[in-house]
Amino acid sequence: MSMDMSEFLEVFFEECEEGLDVMETGLLNLGTGEVDVEEINTIFRAAHSIKGGSATFDMLEIAGFTHVMETLLDQMRSHERVVTTAAVDLLLESVDCLREMIDATRDEEDIDEKRVNNLKQRLEVMLANKDADASEAPETDNPADNVASNPAKEPGGEGWVIDFYPHPDILKNGNEPYRLFEELRQLGKLNVVCNLNKIPDYKNFNPEENYLGWRMELVTTVNEDRVREVFAWIDGECEIDIKRLDTKSNESGSVAPLSGDGEAMSATAVETTTETTDTVSEAASSSGSEAEGANEQNPPAAESAPKPAAVTPSKTSAPAKTSKAKKKPSGESGSIRVSIEKIDSLINLVGELIITQSMLSQFTDEFDMSQIESLRDGLGQLTRNSRELQETAMQIRMLPISSSFNRFPRLVRDMSSKLGKKVELIISGEGTELDKTVLEKIADPLVHLVRNSLDHGLEMPDKRRESGKPETGTIELRAFHEGGNIVIEVVDDGAGINKQRVYQKAVESGVIAPDEKLTDEEINNLIFEPGFSTAEVVSDISGRGVGMDVVRRNINELGGQIYIISEEGKGSTISIRLPLTLAIIDGQLVKVGTETYVIPMLSIDESLQINPRQIKRYKGKIDLYKLRDEYIPVLRLHKIFGLQTDVTRFEDGLLVVVEAERKRVGLFVDELLGQQQVVIKSLEKNFRKVDALSGATILGDGTVALIMDVASLIRQHLLSQGKINNSSLEAA
Amino acid sequence: MKKILAVDDSPTMRQMIVYTLKRAEFEVYEAEDGVEALELAKELDVDLVLTDINMPKMDGIELIRSLRGLAAYNGKPILTLTTEGSTESKMKGRDAGATGWIVKPFDPETLVNTINKVLDR
């Protein structure tokens, strides 16, 4: 039976990712000296699972590397090693390396062997340099009795000769002799010779039965009882005779020359572990299907040595490098793990829907007006069902933001030690759930923001002391729901934004006009402007503004908004407001000619009736509307979309003021229809990409409404009208 | 169809076990730690339990002990899943009352064969 391993790879990689996060978090929580054993246990388990999994998938480098880490962790767990900062640092670095290895494997790229070997070596050096009180063997899997686990030191004088003849049906009970050899080998130096005398003719050969017997020499210091213990499990299912080993006469020789049917034999070297280092000679043989099983378990082990002499298994260091199974390239979002509860409630709701449906279906045959009441009830129920179903279905795509927040303790730890700053990171609301796609796309901008806060927001400890603040600064990451949106905030108690310098810089780089009056808030938010390189604006290193425009663009692409509140000397708060999902938006329906369009509510500032006297024509082609003390360009949607409409005079229609990327325009529409949630259908997938439109939706009456992409609408039309930005308009 | 309860905290391992055993026509249930396994075992009355050793909440050893304490599982086969070479956990499993062990990474055929053998007992 073969198994297509690739099917499980995705799960494994996901598990790895989780495991790595667990390890990282655990290591970061780990204090030094006195440590919480459960914490180490958790880390250990994660490492152990990755090791096991990677071995299963033949990812031997990963398995080997994890094994070394695991060994170190095991020592910590069993108090053989004191947890030092150096050890934690090394383990953290190893986690990184492991992550790279796993990523590389997933992407079918080469593993950076140099880095791996370097780290492995350093881990091994650390393992070798144990403190004096921890001088036991470093092997994780050795039994507790250490006397026995150090057989190599024995001169080879003492030991036991074991004659072991299992009954024919031993294999039927799931007992594999080779396991016993493996166990015995843990006790000392083992030499096994197989007796083939009882093997019958081919005709009489029953592959389910055992015909083999073994004579073993075990060089060890353990007593007879300990040796018998190994056979305890198959007590009564074998003949066993244990004698003292007389080293003078080589007894094994007398067993060796026995002959047998070579064909039926396969001597299997039972050694694939990377864990044992002793070079024990052994040959475990079993017959029929058993041998096959054993072989597959230890794939390329020395096979089919027809001579029943002791085979010296070369340390067949684990399965050969078989060509890797073809893996699917790792897409950003290949699969998603959903909790059973969510699935259950979904199924539950579908059940209810079916009930409602069957209730409604009884009306189809013979309907009379007396039933109108129950029909209305049924429809009400249907509405409720479908709304709940929608919510629950959306829930499936939702993941807690912790998966994104979890990387920050590490980032902050590393960066603060590099910068010489003292920081406490406070995370709250990590259970807040967010659409998976949004979550994936928000990760990088968030890193950027936290990095900036750390680098440029927080001051050095001495400077903080001078200004009367505690030396340790705080950075707070929080997430919460607010009015159908998710809000993520990065708060620091650092220096805040130097408005003077930001303003100056903005003027210098032409982002704003020299005499422009801006509120404090507007000045602060200038840092999100493109082209706002702030090399010396906020800090001496690179400035808070680096790449902030990119951050804002990313967030706008998600239909979100970002702004900063900052108070000089006290700190800054950056707020990101995101829609819960990308699949459904709150939309304002507007009518232009015969068409209905959807404008995302998030981008609408206000809607108003137009006073024609407030309209001014600029350079003879652009209409500007004086909105309070600001002029905003008016875009006639019917012209942009080439539609026929009776509403062409400003006083007949309405102006919807929308904002994107800090630019405001008025959209001239015929009339406002309702507001409703609309499900976005991709135009690209169903038609093709259309500028100024982000998608389409199907309305209740079955007609298709196009959804406007306000940002691209503004960008395009301002571009087409010549370079006009708000500042020059305002100056006009 | 014989019922098997597979207990492992690694989803990969669980999925592989379930896949393998389902193809071998077993009815498979899964649990990710000892606590969950114990509850399921009480509820389902399975024919065989296959459990990992090192797990959060309740480890495999404790699970085996608890199962052996139940009349329904007193005589049923319980196999442990251990990493190759980890004699200590094998022994612990045996002392707790396990019937046998399977080495991870497991070979599907060996897994099925061993389980079949143990069940035929």
Side-chain angles (χ1 to χ4, degrees):
Chain A
M1 180 163 59
S2 73
M3 185 152 43
D4 182 9
M5 301 294 261
S6 60
E7 278 187 47
F8 305 105
L9 267 175
E10 199 51 47
V11 192
F12 171 64
F13 284 131
E14 251 174 61
E15 187 189 336
C16 279
E17 237 158 66
E18 260 167 47
L20 287 167
D21 289 347
V22 166
M23 286 168 80
E24 194 170 308
T25 317
L27 286 167
L28 288 171
N29 288 342
L30 214 57
T32 48
E34 278 290 303
V35 292
D36 182 1
V37 175
E38 197 35 52
E39 192 79 69
I40 300 188
N41 245 328
T42 309
I43 305 169
F44 178 85
R45 257 196 310 268
H48 191 75
S49 285
I50 294 176
K51 182 179 100 168
S54 51
T56 305
F57 292 105
D58 262 8
M59 301 168 185
L60 301 176
E61 284 116 323
I62 297 176
F65 186 76
T66 326
H67 176 69
V68 189
M69 290 174 73
E70 191 193 72
T71 310
L72 189 63
L73 283 164
D74 191 54
Q75 289 180 2
M76 292 176 170
R77 184 170 72 151
S78 53
H79 300 291
E80 287 169 41
R81 171 180 292 279
V82 184
V83 178
T84 58
T85 319
V88 173
D89 282 346
L90 187 57
L91 282 169
L92 275 171
E93 211 180 322
S94 307
V95 170
D96 288 345
C97 179
L98 192 57
R99 201 185 289 275
E100 280 165 27
M101 289 167 88
I102 288 163
D103 286 348
T105 312
R106 182 201 291 238
D107 300 339
E108 295 181 47
E109 282 163 9
D110 288 334
I111 288 173
D112 184 355
E113 275 175 41
K114 237 167 138 184
R115 176 167 152 82
V116 174
N117 287 337
N118 172 290
L119 259 174
K120 208 167 163 183
Q121 223 162 41
R122 281 162 58 200
L123 282 167
E124 271 156 5
V125 166
M126 185 167 276
L127 281 175
N129 295 334
K130 302 183 79 180
D131 12 4
D133 64 321
S135 51
E136 286 118 296
E139 295 299 341
T140 49
D141 293 316
N142 271 351
D145 42 344
N146 280 295
V147 198
S149 62
N150 276 331
K153 288 181 187 143
E154 289 307 313
E158 273 179 278
W160 304 96
V161 175
I162 307 155
D163 283 314
F164 172 48
Y165 288 89
H167 293 166
D169 51 4
I170 187 164
L171 300 173
K172 291 177 186 159
N173 297 333
N175 288 309
E176 294 269 10
Y178 76 87
R179 287 178 176 160
L180 298 168
F181 304 147
E182 214 173 338
E183 263 193 83
L184 285 171
R185 225 195 55 244
Q186 304 270 352
L187 300 177
K189 195 165 153 44
L190 184 73
N191 200 35
V192 185
V193 176
C194 186
N195 186 331
L196 305 172
N197 279 356
K198 290 189 186 154
I199 295 183
D201 294 340
Y202 188 68
K203 264 192 289 183
N204 301 320
F205 189 87
N206 178 352
E208 297 275 309
E209 288 191 354
N210 170 62
Y211 302 104
L212 305 175
W214 291 271
R215 164 162 287 197
M216 293 168 266
E217 286 177 15
L218 179 66
V219 181
T220 179
T221 52
V222 301
N223 59 22
E224 189 178 336
D225 286 349
R226 180 71 188 87
V227 177
R228 283 207 185 273
E229 204 180 292
V230 174
F231 297 92
W233 212 324
I234 47 168
D235 194 25
E237 294 176 78
C238 62
E239 304 299 325
I240 186 150
D241 180 36
I242 301 180
K243 284 184 298 221
R244 264 200 185 282
L245 174 67
D246 180 4
T247 40
K248 300 275 159 25
S249 71
N250 187 358
E251 287 194 54
S252 65
S254 60
V255 192
L258 296 165
S259 62
D261 187 355
E263 240 77 342
M265 290 296 305
S266 81
T268 309
V270 190
E271 171 61 282
T272 53
T273 78
T274 45
E275 308 178 350
T276 39
T277 45
D278 38 2
T279 56
V280 177
S281 297
E282 64 177 337
S285 320
S286 49
S287 60
S289 63
E290 279 312 307
E292 214 177 290
N295 276 339
E296 279 186 27
Q297 191 131 3
N298 310 297
E303 209 197 314
S304 77
K307 281 168 286 166
V311 177
T312 308
S314 54
K315 198 163 160 346
T316 53
S317 55
K321 260 200 144 171
T322 46
S323 60
K324 280 185 208 152
K326 186 78 194 134
K327 279 159 281 170
K328 273 177 254 139
S330 68
E332 270 275 301
S333 36
S335 64
I336 189 166
R337 278 178 75 185
V338 182
S339 73
I340 301 277
E341 287 102 72
K342 284 185 182 175
I343 304 270
D344 283 349
S345 71
L346 193 64
I347 288 169
N348 197 16
L349 279 169
V350 171
E352 280 181 34
L353 192 66
I354 303 283
I355 294 170
T356 310
Q357 186 261 331
S358 67
M359 177 185 160
L360 287 172
S361 67
Q362 66 189 16
F363 295 118
T364 50
D365 302 333
E366 44 207 69
F367 184 76
D368 73 81
M369 288 309 277
S370 66
Q371 291 172 303
I372 194 91
E373 195 65 16
S374 41
L375 176 63
R376 217 176 47 199
D377 285 353
L379 289 174
Q381 207 166 311
L382 184 66
T383 314
R384 203 169 49 246
N385 285 159
S386 42
R387 198 180 46 238
E388 281 172 9
L389 196 59
Q390 178 203 346
E391 271 164 28
T392 316
M394 305 282 289
Q395 280 293 315
I396 288 185
R397 283 190 57 87
M398 304 289 252
L399 292 174
I401 200 166
S402 54
S403 58
S404 178
F405 276 5
N406 281 346
R407 69 162 99 170
F408 288 105
R410 175 71 192 284
L411 185 113
V412 169
R413 181 186 192 267
D414 287 359
M415 258 196 93
S416 58
S417 70
K418 217 177 278 170
L419 293 165
K421 292 182 179 175
K422 291 184 182 167
V423 194
E424 190 193 352
L425 178 71
I426 304 166
I427 290 179
S428 61
E430 60 266 50
T432 312
E433 294 197 325
L434 205 54
D435 185 279
K436 187 174 197 275
T437 316
V438 178
L439 201 60
E440 275 164 4
K441 292 198 173 144
I442 196 73
D444 284 345
L446 265 185
V447 169
H448 205 99
L449 293 176
V450 172
R451 219 187 265 267
N452 264 341
S453 285
L454 242 171
D455 194 1
H456 316 306
L458 291 184
E459 315 92 325
M460 297 298 284
D462 46 345
K463 202 173 166 198
R464 287 181 66 90
R465 207 175 35 234
E466 275 167 33
S467 45
K469 289 181 181 175
E471 274 187 29
T472 305
T474 54
I475 290 185
E476 216 182 321
L477 258 178
R478 49 186 181 219
F480 50 93
H481 284 269
E482 198 181 84
N485 291 314
I486 295 276
V487 181
I488 303 169
E489 290 186 339
V490 182
V491 187
D492 67 63
D493 68 344
I497 289 180
N498 186 332
K499 293 186 193 67
Q500 192 78 40
R501 289 160 83 180
V502 167
Y503 186 82
Q504 254 175 337
K505 184 70 193 179
V507 172
E508 275 167 33
S509 53
V511 174
I512 52 170
D515 51 353
E516 198 171 340
K517 290 267 180 292
L518 294 175
T519 63
D520 285 356
E521 208 190 316
E522 282 170 325
I523 295 175
N524 286 337
N525 284 287
L526 283 173
I527 59 167
F528 295 114
E529 288 304 308
F532 196 77
S533 165
T534 53
E536 66 294 313
V537 174
V538 184
S539 89
D540 297 330
I541 310 168
S542 54
R544 195 184 259 277
V546 167
M548 284 300 219
D549 60 319
V550 180
V551 171
R552 184 171 70 178
R553 197 163 58 234
N554 286 341
I555 287 167
N556 286 343
E557 271 168 21
L558 293 170
Q561 284 163 342
I562 184 170
Y563 59 91
I564 184 167
I565 299 168
S566 178
E567 198 174 335
E568 253 179 286
K570 292 214 173 145
S572 312
T573 299
I574 295 176
S575 273
I576 298 171
R577 185 171 285 271
L578 290 166
L580 275 178
T581 173
L582 296 180
I584 293 189
I585 55 162
D586 276 318
Q588 167 73 59
L589 306 188
V590 299
K591 192 168 163 247
V592 183
T594 52
E595 296 292 315
T596 306
Y597 286 89
V598 180
I599 305 175
M601 288 297 283
L602 261 176
S603 33
I604 299 181
D605 276 357
E606 59 188 307
S607 302
L608 44 97
Q609 261 183 330
I610 300 171
N611 178 352
R613 272 175 301 175
Q614 311 257 71
I615 298 273
K616 290 215 166 64
R617 194 148 263 240
Y618 175 72
K619 284 188 179 168
K621 52 179 181 180
I622 302 169
D623 293 316
L624 297 178
Y625 186 80
K626 186 163 191 282
L627 181 67
R628 291 177 277 276
D629 48 0
E630 177 191 2
Y631 281 98
I632 58 168
V634 174
L635 307 182
R636 288 167 175 263
L637 285 186
H638 63 95
K639 279 197 178 158
I640 292 169
F641 293 119
L643 298 166
Q644 288 295 326
T645 176
D646 300 333
V647 186
T648 50
R649 296 192 311 155
F650 281 125
E651 49 269 49
D652 295 338
L654 290 170
L655 195 66
V656 181
V657 181
V658 293
E659 179 176 334
E661 293 171 18
R662 219 182 137 260
K663 299 219 169 28
R664 302 221 282 177
V665 300
L667 302 177
F668 179 59
V669 302
D670 294 7
E671 62 176 301
L672 294 183
L673 303 170
Q675 292 177 5
Q676 70 174 69
Q677 290 204 323
V678 296
V679 181
I680 302 177
K681 307 269 178 201
S682 161
L683 273 180
E684 285 157 80
K685 224 181 274 166
N686 300 311
F687 178 52
R688 62 180 166 80
K689 174 102 186 95
V690 182
D691 288 337
L693 294 178
S694 59
T697 191
I698 297 166
L699 299 175
D701 61 1
T703 56
V704 172
L706 298 168
I707 302 166
M708 273 179 228
D709 179 351
V710 173
S712 97
L713 194 69
I714 295 178
R715 223 177 293 128
Q716 264 184 44
H717 283 272
L718 291 183
L719 270 177
S720 71
Q721 307 289 0
K723 274 196 167 178
I724 298 163
N725 59 27
N726 268 8
S727 53
S728 62
L729 288 171
E730 280 153 36
Chain B
M1 230 175 5
K2 296 268 187 187
K3 284 187 249 179
I4 295 179
L5 175 61
V7 194
D8 200 307
D9 59 331
S10 153
T12 315
M13 217 30 94
R14 279 204 308 276
Q15 204 185 357
M16 291 178 68
I17 295 168
V18 170
Y19 177 85
T20 309
L21 295 182
K22 280 202 171 147
R23 280 189 16 173
E25 311 238 294
F26 287 109
E27 199 174 325
V28 197
Y29 299 89
E30 38 181 325
E32 62 176 50
D33 58 56
V35 177
E36 200 184 317
L38 197 56
E39 266 171 38
L40 264 177
K42 283 179 191 163
E43 195 180 310
L44 291 168
D45 190 28
V46 297
D47 298 294
L48 180 145
V49 179
L50 178 64
T51 178
D52 183 24
I53 297 292
N54 202 339
M55 291 181 296
K57 291 190 198 163
M58 183 196 280
D59 67 12
I61 303 297
E62 217 185 314
L63 172 66
I64 296 170
R65 279 202 199 105
S66 311
L67 285 173
R68 287 302 185 211
L70 299 171
Y73 288 94
N74 205 4
K76 290 202 175 142
I78 302 177
L79 296 175
T80 59
L81 266 168
T82 59
T83 322
E84 42 184 342
S86 48
T87 315
E88 198 185 343
S89 55
K90 278 176 208 158
M91 291 303 110
K92 273 194 196 158
R94 186 183 63 183
D95 294 345
T99 319
W101 73 79
I102 307 257
V103 178
K104 314 192 258 204
F106 65 85
D107 159 66
E109 199 163 350
T110 312
L111 176 71
V112 173
N113 285 345
T114 312
I115 284 180
N116 275 331
K117 269 173 219 143
V118 174
L119 279 175
D120 285 345
R121 180 182 277 208

